[in-house]
Amino acid sequence: MDKIKAVIIDDEYLARQIILNYLDNQEFIEIVAECENGFDALKTIQEMNPDLLFLDIQMPKINGFELVEVLDKKPEIIFITAFDQYAIKAFEMNAVDYLLKPYPKERFLQAIEKVKHRLASRSAAPDEKMTRLQETLDENPARIDRVITRMGSKIHVIPIDKIHYIESQDDYVMVYSETGNYLKEKTMKYFELHLPPQEFLRIHRSYIVNISQITAIELYGKDTHLAMLKCGAKLKVSAEGYKKLRERL
Amino acid sequence: MISRIFKNELISVYFLVWTAVAVVHFFLLYQLYHLQLLPSLLDSLLFNIIFSLFGIGFWFMVEYSGTQNLTQTDSIIQHSTLCAISVTIWIGAGNFLLKSMLSDHLVYLSFLSNTLTFRIFLGIMYYGMMISVFYLVVSYRQLREKREYESLLTTQLREAELTMLRSQIRPHFLFNSLNSISALTLNDPGKAHEMIIKLSDFMRYSLTFQGESMSTLEKELYHIKLYLDIEKIRFGPKLMIDYQIDEDCLQWPVPSMILQPIIENAVKYGVYEATSASEISVTARLTMPTLMLLSVSNVVDPDIVTRKGTGTGLKNVERRLETIYKQRDLIKTYNKDNRFFAQLYMPSNG
């Protein structure tokens, strides 16, 4: 069997050192890169196509989960975190490997063993497991204040107050923002749940709008209206959406 | 208010009891005193309906006076007066109505006037019983409300304590520091040793901290340095610290742990969220002989989109300063040249 190619992603030098130390004398695993943040990690993963990630969750600018979200092909992942009650619950529910800092060598090697098994038998594709984990995490009703998107190997962090509106496009949504338009693999329902309701409103089956962007609402046909946005867009407003908007404005 | 009365199940119980009283009343007259059917029926209905309606008034009086504290004599006077008035009206109205309705039932009319004294006693008894039951219901209800309120208070208190404890222990900081130590024990035991001692000192200080205690700037800075040293071991060259403390500020009185949340804030936004090297600067100088200015600033990466903190850390600092110095606006925060500044003004009178 080939050596397992692994990447360590953690913003703390000493935290990366532990993994290197624990892996000393192991012949079946090779650390091909170390990354300090999600931006570097994305490039590295796309270039190196590793089999395994050691992934810290709390990192600057984008966190571990946000990185996983924008990965096309998901390698095996061992999550590492210091303290995050919600994430730990999500890991347990989906039987994803995770290590709690500080962790002993035995526990670390156990996690590696599991990965080895899975890679050898190719059972339970990691993609599937990650999708389930992502679903569990998405159910957490915590508000988001940024949306992470990816174009090629570049990650865009869109602060939600820069979003003009969101349009549904089959399995994706298109996020229209001050800095450009970005495709994101999430549902309208996800955004409805996570964007702050004081600032965003679902005005139509296909649209969630940033309320502060609306300049005028015009009648359009019998039951529908059009919302005029500062950016020039005109969005259909359903009867129900119109009712909600009227309450808000 | 009316709808509230009728929604209440107590009202149905109340009228059920009165119905029972009326039935007994009727049978006594009809069977025991061998009065005719119509007078027995009317007598029972009229007297009991009138009194039961009075009772609703009594209920509101009891419910209302239950919330105020009357002296014993006051409430005795109040009840005697009310009792006398209502019994008089009750018998007066009852007699008047029955006399006019049953003017040709002579036997009954003489029975009515003969039982006047008895009815007065009956009225007083009814009044007394009703009032006692009402007081019982009201005080039971108050007791239950009080218990609910107390348990609510206990829960809130516990939550506040938990939040306080968690903020003192800082689980993220603690576990990440322990993780760094575990790495150091493998490669650099000397440094691990140093870090354990710093972490212990720091934890001890923050755990023994109590709300109102005062300290000196020198002592506070010592613990801030401990904290930043630990973070420096974690983040290495990414964290740089610049202290500019005037000599004459060192013995200045400051509330204990007042700087900690501000420094933590600077580390959170300046270091945790930064991908490049970041500097935190701490300065202290006297602006007037009686006023010290403490300033903490950190680099802000314009690209950072952080989770908007709840700002509770800085709000708590503000609230504490207000309680201690009885002065507002002792904290000022602003952004300038890609840096975030938090400035504290410390008067000399604590």
Side-chain angles (χ1 to χ4, degrees), chain A residues 161 163 198-200 209-215 230 249:
Chain A
D161 51 349
I163 295 176
Q198 316 87 278
E199 291 155 57
F200 288 86
V209 71
N210 183 341
I211 297 172
S212 66
Q213 280 288 319
I214 299 176
T215 54
K230 279 180 197 157
L249 296 172

Side-chain angles (χ1 to χ4, degrees), chain A residues 58, chain B residues 167-177 180 194-206 219-236 239 241 243 257 259-272 280 282 296:
Chain A
Q58 203 199 23
Chain B
S167 74
Q168 283 175 339
I169 296 174
R170 302 172 186 82
H172 240 288
F173 166 73
L174 180 65
F175 290 121
N176 276 312
S177 302
S180 306
E194 185 194 319
M195 191 165 173
I196 288 174
I197 288 171
K198 282 183 169 158
L199 184 62
S200 311
D201 267 3
F202 173 74
M203 291 303 288
R204 188 174 301 120
Y205 187 64
S206 46
K219 215 170 140 194
E220 280 305 297
L221 282 175
Y222 172 75
H223 291 98
I224 292 298
K225 275 180 189 156
L226 283 179
Y227 170 73
L228 287 173
D229 282 354
I230 297 164
E231 293 287 43
K232 206 166 161 39
I233 295 172
R234 281 178 62 195
F235 291 100
L239 169 59
I241 308 149
Y243 297 97
M257 294 290 283
L259 266 178
Q260 186 64 31
I262 293 167
I263 300 283
E264 273 174 29
N265 210 52
V267 170
K268 188 172 162 200
Y269 294 102
V271 184
Y272 288 176
I280 290 178
V282 185
V296 176

Side-chain angles (χ1 to χ4, degrees), chain B residues 143-157:
Chain B
L143 191 74
R144 206 178 49 188
E145 274 165 16
K146 203 174 143 202
R147 273 206 201 120
E148 273 164 18
Y149 180 66
E150 270 167 6
S151 80
L152 182 78
L153 277 189
T154 325
T155 327
Q156 282 175 344
L157 192 70

